[in-house]
């Protein structure tokens, strides 16, 4: 049976790709980071049309679990979950930073950074790949001020080169398939927020004054 | 003189060409093209005429082996615009497509022509694609639109509704006006230690609850996802981050099962829920919607076309006021049920707390608006003052008096809204409807005023997916087309 993988990531923009038997046949990307809810349905539809596939052809859905700004990240995960439910497809969760690392050589220690807002970065340090191509993580994913992170790495004598960039759904899909092939597919779809919700427990009862 | 429609014949060719040139100029078909269209076995052309003069025409193409039909062209004479001729021609073609067994109808429209696009949207067409430089020599893009015929005027559509505007993940399924499933997963407990709904916690909980809530709803309804005819989702008002989880989920589900999607207003859906219990909504009706997020008075003349927001809270929602006062009184979250419980043993007349926006000067400007912040402060002051003097206070009396003040304002304003607008009906909605005193006072005063009171079952009053599905089902049954796939969420979406 033909394997049709729909890959979705909303940890930065809205990225969707369709892979048929391991080959990327279509990819769409909407860079606006404030348009996930508007774009998600359209982009999925577009990627499927461009790939010449119907929804019901999809056999697996891969989704970026973050880290990424929460509100957008959730849109993609919610969509992936419901698409998989709707067509009865398997679902595979992939680290969004891993998907960026997947596209790099990784012969040297490579620090993948994405914008975490509030003057912080989401980071992962990678070096080397498995035979199937999965990046090997040395550190992370985590969230920190970039200056603090780099100071720590330097003081521990860790060398690294920095890469950043947006996440390609095609890369995410290929990585999901690599992980599947080595028996490391992740079917537990839980967003990787890396931060607790901003909320303080209610203080005493004083309301007036 | 009104116009009529009939099938076009070759004798109409000359008149049609005249209209074609006048309407399309550069884009006009040639006479040979038009003749071929008229004569082709798979095309259906209709003309609109007044007396003997042809004032419009439109054509459909439907190949017998295909499940879809295409609108080929439509033109209406300049001198007969705004007479509904275009709409009638379109309806004729859609009807013809339906008779020929088409499941969907496609058309292309110039991107620079908003008026026809608006008409097609009203008829239920949805933009699905854009083709660059389609119209030559002008280099104008075409918008490709599609109408799903299977849903048009469908008598009992199966609709799955998703609601995530606050702290309840609701998925409901209806068939027409029949409730099939109503599953609610609440994150209320997770908000307890914060004393109110934390938006980020609510949004996280929605994401986690989606799959199990969907599975349970389908199980309860005893249907498979492929039996669903349409997806409905709340796109406002509510917490933006929470709404987006539902909208992302609903859009993906709609694309996955290739069924249309309806974006639905949360407040109007609270009213639409009544059709699930009574088969139809009696109108006009006033609706009082009271929850932790809303305190609104609506005048509903027509569920789908005429809902007016008469007033709403200008500060806290009533449910929020209950939560805050519960905290003042050392009671737990959510405050409504706790205050209700404690107030049972109290005297509602023990303390005369202020009724917000009920003074004559307020009633001029804020006749149907609510305010609970003054009341909240008054209760807090009362408690603090007593404590500073070392006096014992009766929590029951304070709770009962506070509850009485809230309920009094809610019911008084709702009944005024009915009387001022000559509306003999009031429907309640929202989580605060669980409050026993609100139900009691509303029942009693409506009876005195000769107003019919509707209180839906509590599982349909609190936020739920069935009400979302119900409103979309009403739209489908009335022939209203689905939403475009690129709609957004609006935390303050107006009715």
């Amino acid at each position: 049976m033909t394997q049709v993988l729909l890959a979705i990531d909303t940890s930065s923009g809205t990225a969707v790709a369709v892979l048929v038997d391991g080959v990327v046949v279509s990819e769409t990307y909407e860079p606006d980071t404030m348009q996930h809810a508007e774009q998600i349905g359209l982009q999925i539809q577009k990627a499927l049309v461009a790939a010449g596939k119907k929804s019901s052809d999809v056999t697996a859905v891969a989704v970026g679990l973050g880290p990424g700004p929460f509100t957008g990240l959730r849109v993609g995960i919610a969509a992936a979950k419901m698409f998989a439910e709707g067509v009865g497809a398997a679902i595979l969760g992939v680290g969004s930073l891993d998907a960026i690392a997947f596209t790099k050589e990784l012969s040297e220690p490579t620090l993948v950074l994405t914008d975490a807002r509030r003057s912080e970065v989401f980071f992962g340090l990678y070096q080397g790949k498995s035979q199937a191509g999965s990046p090997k993580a040395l550190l992370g994913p985590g969230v920190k001020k970039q200056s603090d992170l780099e100071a720590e790495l330097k003081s521990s004598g860790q060398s690294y080169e920095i890469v950043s960039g947006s996440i390609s759904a095609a890369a995410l899909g290929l990585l999901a398939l690599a992980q599947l092939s080595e028996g490391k597919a992740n079917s537990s779809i839980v967003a990787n927020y890396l931060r607790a919700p901003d909320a303080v427990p209610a203080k005493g009862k004083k309301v007036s004054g | 003189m009104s116009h009529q429609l009939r099938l076009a014949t070759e004798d109409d060719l000359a008149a049609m060409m005249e209209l074609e040139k006048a309407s399309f100029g550069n884009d006009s078909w040639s006479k040979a093209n038009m003749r071929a269209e008229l004569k082709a076995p798979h095309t259906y052309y209709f003309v609109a005429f007044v007396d003997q003069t042809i004032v419009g025409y439109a054509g459909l193409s439907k190949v017998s082996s295909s499940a879809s039909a295409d609108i080929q062209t439509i033109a209406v004479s300049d001198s007969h615009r705004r007479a509904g001729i275009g709409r009638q021609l379109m309806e004729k073609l859609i009807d013809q497509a339906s008779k020929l067994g088409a499941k969907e109808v496609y058309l292309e429209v110039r991107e620079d022509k908003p008026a026809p696009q608006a008409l097609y949207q009203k008829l239920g067409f949805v933009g699905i694609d854009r083709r660059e430089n389609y119209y030559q020599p002008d280099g104008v893009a075409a918008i490709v639109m599609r109408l799903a015929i299977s849903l048009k005027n469908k008598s009992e559509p199966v609709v799955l509704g998703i609601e995530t505007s606050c702290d309840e993940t609701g998925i409901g399924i209806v068939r027409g006006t029949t409730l099939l499933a109503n599953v609610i997963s609440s994150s209320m407990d997770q908000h307890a230690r914060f004393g109110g709904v934390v938006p980020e916690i609510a949004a996280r909980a929605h994401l986690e609850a989606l799959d199990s809530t969907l599975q349970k709803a389908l199980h309860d309804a005893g249907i498979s996802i492929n039996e669903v005819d349409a997806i409905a989702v709340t796109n406002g008002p509510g917490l933006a981050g929470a709404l987006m989880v539902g909208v992302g989920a609903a859009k993906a589900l709609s694309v996955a099962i290739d069924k249309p999607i309806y974006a639905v207003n949360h407040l109007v859906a609270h009213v639409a829920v009544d059709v699930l219990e009574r088969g139809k909504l009696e109108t006009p009706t006033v609706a009082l919607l009271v929850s932790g997020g809303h305190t609104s008075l609506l005048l509903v003349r027509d569920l789908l076309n005429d809902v007016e927001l008469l007033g709403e809270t200008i500060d806290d929602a009533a449910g929020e006021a209950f939560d805050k006062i519960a905290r003042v009184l050392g009671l737990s979250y959510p405050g409504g049920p706790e205050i209700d419980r404690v107030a049972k043993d109290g005297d509602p007349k023990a303390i005369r707390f202020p009724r917000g926006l009920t003074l004559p000067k307020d009633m001029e400007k804020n006749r149907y608006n609510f305010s609970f912040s003054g009341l909240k402060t008054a209760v807090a002051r009362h408690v603090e003052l007593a404590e500073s003097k070392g006096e014992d206070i009766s929590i029951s009396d304070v709770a009962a008096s506070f509850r009485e003040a809230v309920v009094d304002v809610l019911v008084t304003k709702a009944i005024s809204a009915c009387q001022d607008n000559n509306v003999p009906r009031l429907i309640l909605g929202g989580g605060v409807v669980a409050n026993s005193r609100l139900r009691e006072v509303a029942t009693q005063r409506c009876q005195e005023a000769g107003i019919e009171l509707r209180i839906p079952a509590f599982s349909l009053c609190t936020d739920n997916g069935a009400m979302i599905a119900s409103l979309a089902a009403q739209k489908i049954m009335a022939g209203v087309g689905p939403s475009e796939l690129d709609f957004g969420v609006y935390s303050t979406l107006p009715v």
Side-chain angles (χ1 to χ4, degrees), chain B residues 8-338:
Chain B
T9 71
E10 229 180 311
D11 295 341
D12 299 319
L13 185 59
M16 286 170 69
M17 278 313 293
E18 211 170 295
L19 206 48
E20 172 81 12
K21 290 211 177 85
S23 307
F24 300 111
N26 274 342
D27 291 338
S28 298
W29 288 351
S30 68
K31 193 167 183 177
N33 259 349
M34 185 70 87
R35 178 180 285 121
E37 276 285 304
L38 280 176
K39 288 173 76 173
H42 60 274
T43 60
Y44 304 85
Y45 275 76
F46 293 88
V47 290
F49 58 98
V50 174
D51 291 329
Q52 297 299 313
T53 313
I54 289 182
V55 295
Y57 61 88
L60 180 84
S61 165
K62 165 75 175 65
V63 181
S64 58
S65 60
S66 164
S68 64
D70 296 279
I71 306 284
Q72 301 288 84
T73 184
I74 176 166
V76 176
S77 130
D78 266 344
S79 52
H80 288 77
R81 290 278 156 87
R82 297 177 182 280
I85 296 175
R87 189 186 178 107
Q88 265 194 25
L89 280 165
M90 284 298 295
E91 282 170 347
K92 190 80 189 168
L93 296 188
I94 293 165
D95 182 52
Q96 181 71 24
S98 175
K99 281 179 184 151
L100 293 165
K103 294 269 181 276
E104 45 193 14
V105 182
Y106 289 87
L107 62 79
E108 288 117 22
V109 56
R110 283 177 70 112
E111 192 178 41
D112 58 357
K113 293 264 174 83
Q117 284 176 40
L119 168 65
Y120 304 149
Q121 272 175 14
K122 270 189 208 140
L123 290 165
F125 282 86
V126 174
I128 55 163
D129 202 2
R130 179 173 180 278
R131 300 206 175 125
E132 206 70 62
N133 291 319
Y134 187 82
Y135 294 98
Q136 292 303 339
D138 303 350
V140 172
I143 304 297
V144 182
M145 302 183 88
R146 179 175 71 172
L147 169 76
I149 285 193
S150 53
L151 271 179
K152 213 177 139 50
N153 297 320
K154 184 156 179 152
S155 61
E156 291 214 301
V158 176
V159 183
L160 183 143
I162 300 179
E163 151 65 33
T164 64
S165 69
C166 192
D167 62 342
E168 328 269 13
T169 311
I171 299 190
I173 303 174
V174 306
R175 175 180 282 124
T177 59
T178 307
L179 178 65
L180 300 184
N182 187 23
V183 181
I184 298 166
S185 164
S186 177
S187 59
M188 194 200 303
D189 294 347
Q190 296 179 51
H191 304 284
R193 70 195 176 98
F194 303 103
V197 174
V198 180
E200 177 62 22
I201 291 177
R204 290 184 180 194
H206 287 310
L207 182 62
E208 282 160 25
L210 273 177
D211 3 17
S212 59
T213 310
L214 174 68
Q215 286 157 6
K216 181 153 193 332
L218 288 168
H219 175 267
D220 287 2
I223 63 167
S224 87
I225 188 75
N226 291 312
E227 291 171 67
V228 170
D229 294 312
I231 304 293
V233 64
T234 311
N235 77 323
L239 305 169
L243 287 166
M244 281 187 212
V245 177
V247 167
K251 286 182 175 179
L253 202 49
S254 152
V255 174
I257 64 173
D258 196 21
K259 295 290 164 61
I261 188 166
Y262 285 78
V264 160
N265 182 296
H266 177 88
L267 293 177
V268 181
H270 267 301
V271 184
V273 86
D274 199 35
V275 303
L276 297 176
E277 291 190 333
R278 292 211 294 191
K280 63 179 284 225
L281 180 77
E282 297 286 338
T283 51
T285 185
V286 167
L288 172 65
L289 308 178
V290 209
S291 68
H294 308 283
T295 306
S296 310
L297 267 175
L298 306 184
L299 172 54
V300 183
R301 297 187 190 89
D302 180 293
L303 185 61
L304 302 181
N305 300 308
D306 193 351
V307 180
E308 183 188 343
L309 178 69
L310 294 175
E312 60 191 338
T313 181
I314 60 168
D315 40 56
D316 290 342
E320 252 177 310
F322 274 100
D323 291 337
K324 288 176 179 171
I325 293 308
R327 229 159 74 204
V328 169
L329 299 177
L331 303 170
S332 59
Y333 175 89
E338 281 294 290

Side-chain angles (χ1 to χ4, degrees), chain B residues 462-475:
Chain B
T462 189
D463 290 350
N464 67 87
M467 69 184 197
I468 307 304
S470 176
L471 179 51
Q474 290 294 306
K475 290 185 180 199

Side-chain angles (χ1 to χ4, degrees), chain A residues 99-107 110 112 129 163-165:
Chain A
I100 296 178
F102 177 79
T103 63
K104 309 297 174 192
E105 286 272 327
L106 305 188
S107 49
T110 304
V112 176
K129 290 183 178 178
V163 299
S164 54

